[in-house]
Amino acid sequence: MSILGNIIWLIAGGFVCGIGWIIAGVLLCCTIIGIPFGFQLFKYAGLVFCPFGKKIVSNGQITSILLNIFWILVSGIELAVFHFIIGCLLFITIIGIPFAKQHFKLATLALIPFGSTVVPA
């Protein structure tokens, strides 16, 4: 079921979202300070391309918390709001509910990427 969900996800806009995360990572890597943030975007772009069958596990280390606070100020809010709005629009239809849940998962990841790992569900 997750393979079918990922295929439909890619066709219905997941590919565009993944490309957006990669472009944001490239833009952040243009500066020395943004390189760690850009690498986080590259790492999670794989999840954006194929989110079904995966979940996010977060640990609460102090360095992760500090980096996440800085991340939220730099670009986390924009990515999270984008995924949240798309998720709300998809949640209107019954067919879009599974895809909306994936966008909400990505919105959470967009807010707290540091210290989070992607594991199979």
Side-chain angles (χ1 to χ4, degrees), residues 9-27:
W9 171 266
L10 285 173
I11 294 170
F15 184 76
V16 174
C17 289
I19 295 296
W21 278 61
I22 290 174
I23 290 171
V26 168
L27 291 175

mmCIF file with all atom_site columns, all heavy atoms in Angstrom, residues 9-27:
data_model
loop_
_atom_site.group_PDB
_atom_site.id
_atom_site.type_symbol
_atom_site.label_atom_id
_atom_site.label_alt_id
_atom_site.label_comp_id
_atom_site.label_asym_id
_atom_site.label_entity_id
_atom_site.label_seq_id
_atom_site.pdbx_PDB_ins_code
_atom_site.Cartn_x
_atom_site.Cartn_y
_atom_site.Cartn_z
_atom_site.occupancy
_atom_site.B_iso_or_equiv
_atom_site.pdbx_formal_charge
_atom_site.auth_seq_id
_atom_site.auth_comp_id
_atom_site.auth_asym_id
_atom_site.auth_atom_id
_atom_site.pdbx_PDB_model_num
ATOM 1   N N   . TRP A 1 9  ? 1.512  9.933  -4.709  1.00 0.00 ? 9  TRP A N   1
ATOM 2   C CA  . TRP A 1 9  ? 2.053  11.142 -4.086  1.00 0.00 ? 9  TRP A CA  1
ATOM 3   C C   . TRP A 1 9  ? 2.966  11.884 -5.061  1.00 0.00 ? 9  TRP A C   1
ATOM 4   O O   . TRP A 1 9  ? 2.873  13.097 -5.210  1.00 0.00 ? 9  TRP A O   1
ATOM 5   C CB  . TRP A 1 9  ? 2.817  10.756 -2.820  1.00 0.00 ? 9  TRP A CB  1
ATOM 6   C CG  . TRP A 1 9  ? 3.597  11.859 -2.207  1.00 0.00 ? 9  TRP A CG  1
ATOM 7   C CD1 . TRP A 1 9  ? 4.918  12.145 -2.408  1.00 0.00 ? 9  TRP A CD1 1
ATOM 8   C CD2 . TRP A 1 9  ? 3.144  12.844 -1.278  1.00 0.00 ? 9  TRP A CD2 1
ATOM 9   N NE1 . TRP A 1 9  ? 5.302  13.225 -1.669  1.00 0.00 ? 9  TRP A NE1 1
ATOM 10  C CE2 . TRP A 1 9  ? 4.228  13.665 -0.970  1.00 0.00 ? 9  TRP A CE2 1
ATOM 11  C CE3 . TRP A 1 9  ? 1.909  13.079 -0.690  1.00 0.00 ? 9  TRP A CE3 1
ATOM 12  C CZ2 . TRP A 1 9  ? 4.125  14.722 -0.078  1.00 0.00 ? 9  TRP A CZ2 1
ATOM 13  C CZ3 . TRP A 1 9  ? 1.805  14.141 0.196   1.00 0.00 ? 9  TRP A CZ3 1
ATOM 14  C CH2 . TRP A 1 9  ? 2.906  14.944 0.494   1.00 0.00 ? 9  TRP A CH2 1
ATOM 15  N N   . LEU A 1 10 ? 3.864  11.159 -5.727  1.00 0.00 ? 10 LEU A N   1
ATOM 16  C CA  . LEU A 1 10 ? 4.785  11.796 -6.661  1.00 0.00 ? 10 LEU A CA  1
ATOM 17  C C   . LEU A 1 10 ? 4.049  12.428 -7.834  1.00 0.00 ? 10 LEU A C   1
ATOM 18  O O   . LEU A 1 10 ? 4.369  13.543 -8.250  1.00 0.00 ? 10 LEU A O   1
ATOM 19  C CB  . LEU A 1 10 ? 5.809  10.781 -7.172  1.00 0.00 ? 10 LEU A CB  1
ATOM 20  C CG  . LEU A 1 10 ? 6.904  10.394 -6.196  1.00 0.00 ? 10 LEU A CG  1
ATOM 21  C CD1 . LEU A 1 10 ? 7.739  9.255  -6.761  1.00 0.00 ? 10 LEU A CD1 1
ATOM 22  C CD2 . LEU A 1 10 ? 7.778  11.584 -5.864  1.00 0.00 ? 10 LEU A CD2 1
ATOM 23  N N   . ILE A 1 11 ? 3.055  11.730 -8.342  1.00 0.00 ? 11 ILE A N   1
ATOM 24  C CA  . ILE A 1 11 ? 2.294  12.248 -9.478  1.00 0.00 ? 11 ILE A CA  1
ATOM 25  C C   . ILE A 1 11 ? 1.460  13.461 -9.078  1.00 0.00 ? 11 ILE A C   1
ATOM 26  O O   . ILE A 1 11 ? 1.343  14.429 -9.834  1.00 0.00 ? 11 ILE A O   1
ATOM 27  C CB  . ILE A 1 11 ? 1.393  11.137 -10.066 1.00 0.00 ? 11 ILE A CB  1
ATOM 28  C CG1 . ILE A 1 11 ? 2.268  10.038 -10.676 1.00 0.00 ? 11 ILE A CG1 1
ATOM 29  C CG2 . ILE A 1 11 ? 0.422  11.699 -11.098 1.00 0.00 ? 11 ILE A CG2 1
ATOM 30  C CD1 . ILE A 1 11 ? 1.496  8.801  -11.067 1.00 0.00 ? 11 ILE A CD1 1
ATOM 31  N N   . ALA A 1 12 ? 0.907  13.444 -7.867  1.00 0.00 ? 12 ALA A N   1
ATOM 32  C CA  . ALA A 1 12 ? -0.021 14.488 -7.438  1.00 0.00 ? 12 ALA A CA  1
ATOM 33  C C   . ALA A 1 12 ? 0.654  15.680 -6.772  1.00 0.00 ? 12 ALA A C   1
ATOM 34  O O   . ALA A 1 12 ? -0.018 16.491 -6.143  1.00 0.00 ? 12 ALA A O   1
ATOM 35  C CB  . ALA A 1 12 ? -1.054 13.892 -6.485  1.00 0.00 ? 12 ALA A CB  1
ATOM 36  N N   . GLY A 1 13 ? 1.953  15.812 -6.889  1.00 0.00 ? 13 GLY A N   1
ATOM 37  C CA  . GLY A 1 13 ? 2.594  17.019 -6.371  1.00 0.00 ? 13 GLY A CA  1
ATOM 38  C C   . GLY A 1 13 ? 3.750  16.783 -5.429  1.00 0.00 ? 13 GLY A C   1
ATOM 39  O O   . GLY A 1 13 ? 4.439  17.736 -5.050  1.00 0.00 ? 13 GLY A O   1
ATOM 40  N N   . GLY A 1 14 ? 3.996  15.555 -5.022  1.00 0.00 ? 14 GLY A N   1
ATOM 41  C CA  . GLY A 1 14 ? 5.110  15.282 -4.132  1.00 0.00 ? 14 GLY A CA  1
ATOM 42  C C   . GLY A 1 14 ? 6.452  15.537 -4.783  1.00 0.00 ? 14 GLY A C   1
ATOM 43  O O   . GLY A 1 14 ? 7.410  15.957 -4.124  1.00 0.00 ? 14 GLY A O   1
ATOM 44  N N   . PHE A 1 15 ? 6.525  15.321 -6.102  1.00 0.00 ? 15 PHE A N   1
ATOM 45  C CA  . PHE A 1 15 ? 7.773  15.587 -6.816  1.00 0.00 ? 15 PHE A CA  1
ATOM 46  C C   . PHE A 1 15 ? 8.116  17.065 -6.764  1.00 0.00 ? 15 PHE A C   1
ATOM 47  O O   . PHE A 1 15 ? 9.262  17.438 -6.535  1.00 0.00 ? 15 PHE A O   1
ATOM 48  C CB  . PHE A 1 15 ? 7.657  15.104 -8.266  1.00 0.00 ? 15 PHE A CB  1
ATOM 49  C CG  . PHE A 1 15 ? 8.925  15.253 -9.048  1.00 0.00 ? 15 PHE A CG  1
ATOM 50  C CD1 . PHE A 1 15 ? 9.975  14.378 -8.859  1.00 0.00 ? 15 PHE A CD1 1
ATOM 51  C CD2 . PHE A 1 15 ? 9.068  16.280 -9.963  1.00 0.00 ? 15 PHE A CD2 1
ATOM 52  C CE1 . PHE A 1 15 ? 11.142 14.521 -9.578  1.00 0.00 ? 15 PHE A CE1 1
ATOM 53  C CE2 . PHE A 1 15 ? 10.225 16.439 -10.683 1.00 0.00 ? 15 PHE A CE2 1
ATOM 54  C CZ  . PHE A 1 15 ? 11.274 15.549 -10.493 1.00 0.00 ? 15 PHE A CZ  1
ATOM 55  N N   . VAL A 1 16 ? 7.111  17.907 -6.937  1.00 0.00 ? 16 VAL A N   1
ATOM 56  C CA  . VAL A 1 16 ? 7.320  19.364 -6.903  1.00 0.00 ? 16 VAL A CA  1
ATOM 57  C C   . VAL A 1 16 ? 7.753  19.804 -5.494  1.00 0.00 ? 16 VAL A C   1
ATOM 58  O O   . VAL A 1 16 ? 8.645  20.639 -5.350  1.00 0.00 ? 16 VAL A O   1
ATOM 59  C CB  . VAL A 1 16 ? 6.044  20.104 -7.355  1.00 0.00 ? 16 VAL A CB  1
ATOM 60  C CG1 . VAL A 1 16 ? 6.184  21.599 -7.186  1.00 0.00 ? 16 VAL A CG1 1
ATOM 61  C CG2 . VAL A 1 16 ? 5.707  19.742 -8.779  1.00 0.00 ? 16 VAL A CG2 1
ATOM 62  N N   . CYS A 1 17 ? 7.138  19.220 -4.458  1.00 0.00 ? 17 CYS A N   1
ATOM 63  C CA  . CYS A 1 17 ? 7.517  19.554 -3.082  1.00 0.00 ? 17 CYS A CA  1
ATOM 64  C C   . CYS A 1 17 ? 8.964  19.147 -2.805  1.00 0.00 ? 17 CYS A C   1
ATOM 65  O O   . CYS A 1 17 ? 9.719  19.890 -2.182  1.00 0.00 ? 17 CYS A O   1
ATOM 66  C CB  . CYS A 1 17 ? 6.591  18.866 -2.089  1.00 0.00 ? 17 CYS A CB  1
ATOM 67  S SG  . CYS A 1 17 ? 4.941  19.536 -2.043  1.00 0.00 ? 17 CYS A SG  1
ATOM 68  N N   . GLY A 1 18 ? 9.345  17.961 -3.264  1.00 0.00 ? 18 GLY A N   1
ATOM 69  C CA  . GLY A 1 18 ? 10.714 17.488 -3.066  1.00 0.00 ? 18 GLY A CA  1
ATOM 70  C C   . GLY A 1 18 ? 11.726 18.377 -3.766  1.00 0.00 ? 18 GLY A C   1
ATOM 71  O O   . GLY A 1 18 ? 12.783 18.692 -3.212  1.00 0.00 ? 18 GLY A O   1
ATOM 72  N N   . ILE A 1 19 ? 11.401 18.796 -4.985  1.00 0.00 ? 19 ILE A N   1
ATOM 73  C CA  . ILE A 1 19 ? 12.282 19.716 -5.712  1.00 0.00 ? 19 ILE A CA  1
ATOM 74  C C   . ILE A 1 19 ? 12.390 21.041 -4.956  1.00 0.00 ? 19 ILE A C   1
ATOM 75  O O   . ILE A 1 19 ? 13.465 21.644 -4.892  1.00 0.00 ? 19 ILE A O   1
ATOM 76  C CB  . ILE A 1 19 ? 11.773 19.935 -7.151  1.00 0.00 ? 19 ILE A CB  1
ATOM 77  C CG1 . ILE A 1 19 ? 11.848 18.634 -7.952  1.00 0.00 ? 19 ILE A CG1 1
ATOM 78  C CG2 . ILE A 1 19 ? 12.540 21.037 -7.861  1.00 0.00 ? 19 ILE A CG2 1
ATOM 79  C CD1 . ILE A 1 19 ? 13.238 18.099 -8.168  1.00 0.00 ? 19 ILE A CD1 1
ATOM 80  N N   . GLY A 1 20 ? 11.289 21.492 -4.366  1.00 0.00 ? 20 GLY A N   1
ATOM 81  C CA  . GLY A 1 20 ? 11.315 22.727 -3.576  1.00 0.00 ? 20 GLY A CA  1
ATOM 82  C C   . GLY A 1 20 ? 12.251 22.619 -2.382  1.00 0.00 ? 20 GLY A C   1
ATOM 83  O O   . GLY A 1 20 ? 12.990 23.561 -2.077  1.00 0.00 ? 20 GLY A O   1
ATOM 84  N N   . TRP A 1 21 ? 12.227 21.461 -1.700  1.00 0.00 ? 21 TRP A N   1
ATOM 85  C CA  . TRP A 1 21 ? 13.133 21.275 -0.565  1.00 0.00 ? 21 TRP A CA  1
ATOM 86  C C   . TRP A 1 21 ? 14.585 21.253 -1.047  1.00 0.00 ? 21 TRP A C   1
ATOM 87  O O   . TRP A 1 21 ? 15.472 21.791 -0.380  1.00 0.00 ? 21 TRP A O   1
ATOM 88  C CB  . TRP A 1 21 ? 12.801 19.987 0.176   1.00 0.00 ? 21 TRP A CB  1
ATOM 89  C CG  . TRP A 1 21 ? 11.671 20.101 1.141   1.00 0.00 ? 21 TRP A CG  1
ATOM 90  C CD1 . TRP A 1 21 ? 10.377 20.430 0.865   1.00 0.00 ? 21 TRP A CD1 1
ATOM 91  C CD2 . TRP A 1 21 ? 11.721 19.894 2.546   1.00 0.00 ? 21 TRP A CD2 1
ATOM 92  N NE1 . TRP A 1 21 ? 9.625  20.425 2.002   1.00 0.00 ? 21 TRP A NE1 1
ATOM 93  C CE2 . TRP A 1 21 ? 10.423 20.100 3.047   1.00 0.00 ? 21 TRP A CE2 1
ATOM 94  C CE3 . TRP A 1 21 ? 12.728 19.537 3.427   1.00 0.00 ? 21 TRP A CE3 1
ATOM 95  C CZ2 . TRP A 1 21 ? 10.115 19.967 4.393   1.00 0.00 ? 21 TRP A CZ2 1
ATOM 96  C CZ3 . TRP A 1 21 ? 12.425 19.404 4.769   1.00 0.00 ? 21 TRP A CZ3 1
ATOM 97  C CH2 . TRP A 1 21 ? 11.131 19.634 5.238   1.00 0.00 ? 21 TRP A CH2 1
ATOM 98  N N   . ILE A 1 22 ? 14.857 20.663 -2.203  1.00 0.00 ? 22 ILE A N   1
ATOM 99  C CA  . ILE A 1 22 ? 16.218 20.625 -2.722  1.00 0.00 ? 22 ILE A CA  1
ATOM 100 C C   . ILE A 1 22 ? 16.676 22.021 -3.126  1.00 0.00 ? 22 ILE A C   1
ATOM 101 O O   . ILE A 1 22 ? 17.814 22.417 -2.830  1.00 0.00 ? 22 ILE A O   1
ATOM 102 C CB  . ILE A 1 22 ? 16.312 19.637 -3.904  1.00 0.00 ? 22 ILE A CB  1
ATOM 103 C CG1 . ILE A 1 22 ? 16.171 18.204 -3.380  1.00 0.00 ? 22 ILE A CG1 1
ATOM 104 C CG2 . ILE A 1 22 ? 17.629 19.797 -4.649  1.00 0.00 ? 22 ILE A CG2 1
ATOM 105 C CD1 . ILE A 1 22 ? 16.098 17.151 -4.446  1.00 0.00 ? 22 ILE A CD1 1
ATOM 106 N N   . ILE A 1 23 ? 15.820 22.797 -3.761  1.00 0.00 ? 23 ILE A N   1
ATOM 107 C CA  . ILE A 1 23 ? 16.180 24.167 -4.150  1.00 0.00 ? 23 ILE A CA  1
ATOM 108 C C   . ILE A 1 23 ? 16.455 25.012 -2.908  1.00 0.00 ? 23 ILE A C   1
ATOM 109 O O   . ILE A 1 23 ? 17.422 25.787 -2.871  1.00 0.00 ? 23 ILE A O   1
ATOM 110 C CB  . ILE A 1 23 ? 15.076 24.790 -5.023  1.00 0.00 ? 23 ILE A CB  1
ATOM 111 C CG1 . ILE A 1 23 ? 15.059 24.114 -6.388  1.00 0.00 ? 23 ILE A CG1 1
ATOM 112 C CG2 . ILE A 1 23 ? 15.268 26.299 -5.165  1.00 0.00 ? 23 ILE A CG2 1
ATOM 113 C CD1 . ILE A 1 23 ? 13.881 24.504 -7.258  1.00 0.00 ? 23 ILE A CD1 1
ATOM 114 N N   . ALA A 1 24 ? 15.626 24.866 -1.879  1.00 0.00 ? 24 ALA A N   1
ATOM 115 C CA  . ALA A 1 24 ? 15.873 25.599 -0.631  1.00 0.00 ? 24 ALA A CA  1
ATOM 116 C C   . ALA A 1 24 ? 17.204 25.176 -0.016  1.00 0.00 ? 24 ALA A C   1
ATOM 117 O O   . ALA A 1 24 ? 17.943 26.019 0.515   1.00 0.00 ? 24 ALA A O   1
ATOM 118 C CB  . ALA A 1 24 ? 14.725 25.362 0.353   1.00 0.00 ? 24 ALA A CB  1
ATOM 119 N N   . GLY A 1 25 ? 17.545 23.891 -0.096  1.00 0.00 ? 25 GLY A N   1
ATOM 120 C CA  . GLY A 1 25 ? 18.829 23.416 0.419   1.00 0.00 ? 25 GLY A CA  1
ATOM 121 C C   . GLY A 1 25 ? 20.000 24.001 -0.342  1.00 0.00 ? 25 GLY A C   1
ATOM 122 O O   . GLY A 1 25 ? 21.016 24.378 0.248   1.00 0.00 ? 25 GLY A O   1
ATOM 123 N N   . VAL A 1 26 ? 19.874 24.096 -1.661  1.00 0.00 ? 26 VAL A N   1
ATOM 124 C CA  . VAL A 1 26 ? 20.934 24.686 -2.478  1.00 0.00 ? 26 VAL A CA  1
ATOM 125 C C   . VAL A 1 26 ? 21.109 26.158 -2.131  1.00 0.00 ? 26 VAL A C   1
ATOM 126 O O   . VAL A 1 26 ? 22.246 26.650 -1.992  1.00 0.00 ? 26 VAL A O   1
ATOM 127 C CB  . VAL A 1 26 ? 20.622 24.500 -3.983  1.00 0.00 ? 26 VAL A CB  1
ATOM 128 C CG1 . VAL A 1 26 ? 21.542 25.348 -4.843  1.00 0.00 ? 26 VAL A CG1 1
ATOM 129 C CG2 . VAL A 1 26 ? 20.727 23.041 -4.366  1.00 0.00 ? 26 VAL A CG2 1
ATOM 130 N N   . LEU A 1 27 ? 20.000 26.870 -1.961  1.00 0.00 ? 27 LEU A N   1
ATOM 131 C CA  . LEU A 1 27 ? 20.090 28.291 -1.607  1.00 0.00 ? 27 LEU A CA  1
ATOM 132 C C   . LEU A 1 27 ? 20.746 28.488 -0.240  1.00 0.00 ? 27 LEU A C   1
ATOM 133 O O   . LEU A 1 27 ? 21.545 29.412 -0.055  1.00 0.00 ? 27 LEU A O   1
ATOM 134 C CB  . LEU A 1 27 ? 18.701 28.930 -1.627  1.00 0.00 ? 27 LEU A CB  1
ATOM 135 C CG  . LEU A 1 27 ? 18.065 29.081 -3.006  1.00 0.00 ? 27 LEU A CG  1
ATOM 136 C CD1 . LEU A 1 27 ? 16.646 29.608 -2.889  1.00 0.00 ? 27 LEU A CD1 1
ATOM 137 C CD2 . LEU A 1 27 ? 18.904 29.989 -3.893  1.00 0.00 ? 27 LEU A CD2 1
#
